Amino acid sequence: ILMVDEKGKNMKCLTFFLMLPETVKNRSKKSSKKGNSSSSSSSSSKLPPVCYEIITLKTKKKKKMAADIFPRKKPANTNTTAVQQYHQQNLNNNNTIPAPNWQGLYPTIRERNAVMFNNDLMADVHFVVGPPGGTQRLPGHKYVLAVGSSVFHAMFYGELAEDKDEIRIPDVEPAAFLAMLKYIYCDEIDLAADTVLATLYAAKKYIVPHLARACVNFLETSLSAKNACVLLSQSCLFEEPDLTQRCWEVIDAQAELALKSEGFCDIDFQTLESILRRETLNAKEIVVFEAALNWAEVECQRQELTATIDNKRKVLGKALYLIRIPTMALDDFANGAAQSGILTLNETNDIFLWYTAAKKPELQFVSKPRKGLVPQRCHRFQSCAYRSNQWRYRGRCDSIQFAVDKRVFIAGFGLYGSSCGSAEYSAKIELKRQGVILGQNLSKYFSDGSSNTFPVWFEYPVQIEPDTFYTASVILDGNELSYFGQEGMTEVQCGKVTVQFQCSSDSTNGTGVQGGQIPELIFYA
């Protein structure tokens, strides 16, 4: 067979002797008749090929990978079931390959490599992961692990490598170690809220940076007032400055929610001090004081101390003086801090004198109020007006939808007031996302007859994620006609935040993008 390429160049020449039975028989007879002839013997020993064929090979400019040759299709039920069974077996560390040709089920090296995840097949090392009493024995393959982590490479192939069949890892949770192995073997990131911190620790320990980055991204997207204090503590431990900044943004804006969360009591002393020292903490000082006492009670339990007043003060130490007790409202101090027992008699007397005396005593407590956060206002109308029979309220809803390009915290709305002199309005404000109520409040505000806007606040600021539309609604109850906005804008740039507006189907009182109520969004960014 002569194989040539398209240009006729000889690529390879293969000669095959294809002897048919009848041909062999005839040639044997001829050979026997000329048995004594040396020339005949010579010719019969060099039999020519019976046939040949020229095959043209078309050259390919691009090599195909296994995935291209075997494109992923909708597999048959048998293969799909087998693959799912293998994946489930990997999770359970109970792998049994039923067929000797299991490699044929997977078209790519990535998928075949993934079969080895948590699989005893060909495993040359085992890890005993977890603290004593909660360990799990997991199989590994040194080559795969060394390719995925420089720490594993040094452990197995470095100059100081030790040839151990079993390695104990007591400081990593088994679930987190499995998540890291799954990334190394399968190139898949599988994170859960209850194990992501432990997975981040494992990724940092074994220097798997892309997994660590994925963990940080997961934490940032799931960040809320409930877990911000704990994540702040962990982000400092893991040296993740971006995550630390995100945590501070949530804690500052939703300080009271964060301080009242269960996670606040789980932070370390250093994080407690940093929060109590925070100048931009947007919370009443009595809330800060109560949160510190709750932390002290839990800390006594961690140190196996009885949660007495003396022990609480002992574990708080100098952090107690970071609470700005002299800046509390007098009622909050008299009914709260003064009767808590945590202060000495002299401290209580001095603080009362601080409130009332002209000559104020020196205090160990910080006496300067916190600055808190300055709210920003996004005004969506270019002008306002008033006319007879507009804008009247009879229990109907004024509503508008908005979206932002950065995470913000909506603190309230700015609303128009009476156009016929001073008047009082009752306002029920509400913030929803896809029909789910995120925040609401019922309050009253007094308008002075001017065209100014008047703020109405939520009980706590509401966290708003970017690139998602939210619905702002208000139901006003008042006898007087009010001002209303006009020449509305669909997009407003407010500092570093861009806000987009669109009409809401919930609006039954005429408010829309071009005109109506809810002229302002009040937020922290």
Side-chain angles (χ1 to χ4, degrees), residues 220 231-232 235-236 239-249:
E220 288 180 354
L231 293 183
L232 174 68
S235 66
C236 296
E239 298 180 350
E240 289 289 344
D242 291 341
L243 180 58
T244 301
Q245 179 60 31
R246 292 283 187 275
C247 292
W248 277 125
E249 290 174 3

Side-chain angles (χ1 to χ4, degrees), residues 7-22:
K7 296 181 180 180
K9 293 184 178 180
N10 187 1
M11 296 186 68
K12 184 176 290 187
C13 182
L14 302 176
T15 303
F16 295 92
F17 292 95
L18 188 61
M19 304 300 294
L20 299 177
E22 191 63 30

Side-chain angles (χ1 to χ4, degrees), residues 193-476:
D194 54 345
T195 59
V196 63
L197 283 173
T199 304
L200 176 59
Y201 174 76
K204 288 279 188 176
K205 177 177 180 178
Y206 291 98
I207 312 181
V208 187
H210 297 292
L211 178 60
R213 184 68 252 170
C215 291
V216 172
N217 291 339
F218 182 93
L219 291 171
E220 288 180 354
T221 56
S222 60
L223 183 61
S224 68
K226 294 181 180 180
N227 58 16
C229 294
V230 174
L231 293 183
L232 174 68
S233 177
Q234 297 296 324
S235 66
C236 296
L237 176 65
F238 294 134
E239 298 180 350
E240 289 289 344
D242 291 341
L243 180 58
T244 301
Q245 179 60 31
R246 292 283 187 275
C247 292
W248 277 125
E249 290 174 3
V250 174
I251 293 172
D252 283 342
Q254 297 180 302
E256 294 192 1
L257 285 175
L259 294 172
K260 293 177 180 179
S261 67
E262 294 181 3
F264 178 79
C265 296
D266 296 329
I267 61 178
D268 58 274
F269 183 77
Q270 185 177 0
T271 305
L272 174 71
E273 283 189 311
S274 64
I275 293 176
L276 296 182
R277 193 179 286 113
R278 188 75 172 172
E279 190 70 28
T280 51
L281 210 59
N282 199 34
K284 296 179 181 178
E285 207 62 33
I286 185 63
V287 176
V288 179
F289 177 80
E290 292 172 350
L293 290 188
N294 292 335
W295 179 90
E297 184 173 352
V298 176
E299 182 64 17
C300 286
Q301 297 175 5
R302 284 192 287 262
Q303 297 186 20
E304 298 182 352
L305 299 172
T306 306
T308 61
I309 296 297
D310 291 339
N311 285 336
K312 288 181 183 180
R313 178 154 183 148
K314 177 182 177 181
V315 297
L316 280 172
K318 293 183 179 180
L320 177 64
Y321 298 109
L322 297 175
I323 305 173
R324 307 187 184 193
I325 296 178
T327 67
M328 291 181 185
L330 181 57
D331 289 344
D332 289 339
F333 174 72
N335 297 317
Q339 298 186 42
S340 66
I342 202 73
L343 303 176
T344 65
L345 184 59
N346 288 335
E347 289 170 342
T348 303
N349 290 336
D350 287 345
I351 294 173
F352 267 120
L353 288 174
W354 174 269
Y355 282 109
T356 57
K359 184 179 179 180
K360 301 183 183 301
E362 292 185 3
L363 301 175
Q364 288 184 278
F365 295 92
V366 179
S367 57
K368 184 180 179 181
R370 302 180 195 271
K371 294 180 180 179
L373 293 177
V374 178
Q376 300 183 44
R377 293 173 179 252
C378 175
H379 197 91
R380 67 188 188 94
F381 294 125
Q382 300 182 63
S383 64
C384 68
Y386 68 92
R387 302 189 189 107
S388 60
N389 298 326
Q390 294 184 6
W391 205 263
R392 189 180 297 277
Y393 307 101
R394 294 176 180 173
R396 292 190 292 264
C397 178
D398 288 286
S399 182
I400 191 72
Q401 287 192 333
F402 69 94
V404 294
D405 63 343
K406 292 181 177 61
R407 175 184 288 168
V408 300
F409 302 87
I410 296 293
F413 304 147
L415 303 176
Y416 286 123
S418 172
S419 59
C420 305
S422 58
E424 185 179 65
Y425 289 90
S426 173
K428 179 184 178 182
I429 60 173
E430 194 173 75
L431 191 59
K432 295 188 295 185
R433 177 182 178 180
Q434 297 178 349
V436 179
I437 298 176
L438 304 177
Q440 61 181 0
N441 197 19
L442 179 61
S443 62
K444 294 182 178 181
Y445 70 95
F446 183 82
S447 66
D448 57 7
S450 70
S451 61
N452 296 330
T453 59
F454 302 92
V456 179
W457 307 94
F458 289 105
E459 184 178 3
Y460 301 109
V462 181
Q463 181 171 309
I464 301 298
E465 297 299 331
D467 305 323
T468 301
F469 274 95
Y470 293 78
T471 302
S473 302
V474 59
I475 298 177
L476 289 172

